[in-house]
Amino acid sequence: MLISLVALAAMAMSSTAQGASACVDKAAFCVKVVGELVQAHVWNYAAKTGLVLGPNNLTGLITTLYNAMDVVSREQVGMIPAVSADMTFARAAVGQVVTSPVAPAATATDITPAVTPPNDGDQNIGNKSVTLTKARRVPIRWNGEEKLALDNSGNSYNIILRDQFAQAMRTLCNEVESDLTALHVKASRAYGTPGTAPFGIANDLGDTAGALRILEDNGAQGLDFQMVLGSAAMQNMRGKQSGLFNVEKAGREDMLRDGITDRLQGLALRQSAQIKRPAKGTAAGATTNANGYAFGTTVITLAAAGTGSFVAGDVISIAGDPENKYVVSSGDASSADGGTITIAAPGLLQAIPAAATAITVANVAARNLFFARSAIVLATRVPALPAQGDSAADRTIITDPVSGLSFEVSMYMQYRQVQYEIALVWGVGAAKDEHIGILLG
């Protein structure tokens, strides 16, 4: 910096054949340049070290931001780290579509010796689209008088600001988590008893076994399985399944000493505070028509009978098929009008005979989820900006190491006050319905 200042001074004073007044002007100009440079460097240094809140100085708040994030990362947001994530720092707007490739089912052929191999093997690679549906922000604003009042009263401004950032990130985390757990309507089938929290029978892991059966029957073998539980199910897991706490049997003391859940029968156990307990459809006395429906059918026509409605996400049972609970992906506003309902893939696992067959809607229940990681997609981006930028004095991005969410933090210098903004753009989607299930509770 010193060399730069000397060089600037030499450039400003270098002209030779000028009058005394010109020399005075150049000297004044040199002093002004040097003064502005010194002021700028001192100001930036003070801003970076947190001494002042000037332009381009979010660096001074990085410690506060990460301290706040440490509080947020302990929240029960089990869905966010459990799903397949497409998280980048690229800017995007609401409505932008993110696509994930999906390979089709393979077709086998007979082996026939020949001079050349068969001319086949081409496939049409499909995709599942995830639309960025939300661009959300949480503002935090302070003016000079408010900060001064805190400083004078002995309260810590930085502690309060940290807690405000924590609440802001917590709010956005919970919104993302809620959107992910709402994908229970995309599940293929369900297991368990409505109104009864899973794992309530001591030393009985039948609920994980039932979940695994559904995933494996639906062709998800060998994938990264996840199970996200609500608080009631997790309470039973910790209180009733003593074998998980027996170090001799479990081989580890994580559950016993720290209450940490790990993989169980191939399922990564997680907890979420956003597990849904939705209202159910009002259908009663509904039946299929008399056409009969084959194994694998997904669209079922109703007889003009019964009352009430089927809604997306309803868990239904079909008479004569006691083992399977199907999830309705598209309902019918009135079961009495002879309309149709659609169940999720892979469809019926037992054929329905050519006779009116009763359909029953399960009672209200918590929708704990189990799925292959690749079956659910979360896409996040940084909010869009105009090409010319906006009035923010500075921006930075911080990433939560537990949830993986990256928040954009902006600072707007207003008239005698400062506004901080924590923002995120995201969208969620189901990439493979067959690899998602509901554990009722």
Side-chain angles (χ1 to χ4, degrees), residues 315-342:
V315 175
I316 63 171
S317 297
I318 298 174
D321 184 6
E323 285 194 354
N324 298 300
K325 295 181 174 70
Y326 303 101
V327 180
V328 174
S329 56
S330 179
D332 185 4
S334 174
S335 62
D337 63 5
T340 64
I341 60 172
T342 302

Side-chain angles (χ1 to χ4, degrees), residues 386-399:
Q388 299 83 359
D390 66 4
S391 60
D394 195 14
R395 283 193 167 89
T396 190
I397 295 175
I398 60 171
T399 301

Side-chain angles (χ1 to χ4, degrees), residues 130-147:
V130 176
T131 302
L132 301 176
T133 56
K134 291 186 177 180
R136 302 279 285 168
R137 62 184 286 272
V138 178
I140 299 170
R141 186 159 61 189
W142 282 85
N143 64 44
E145 291 184 354
E146 291 168 341
K147 183 178 183 302

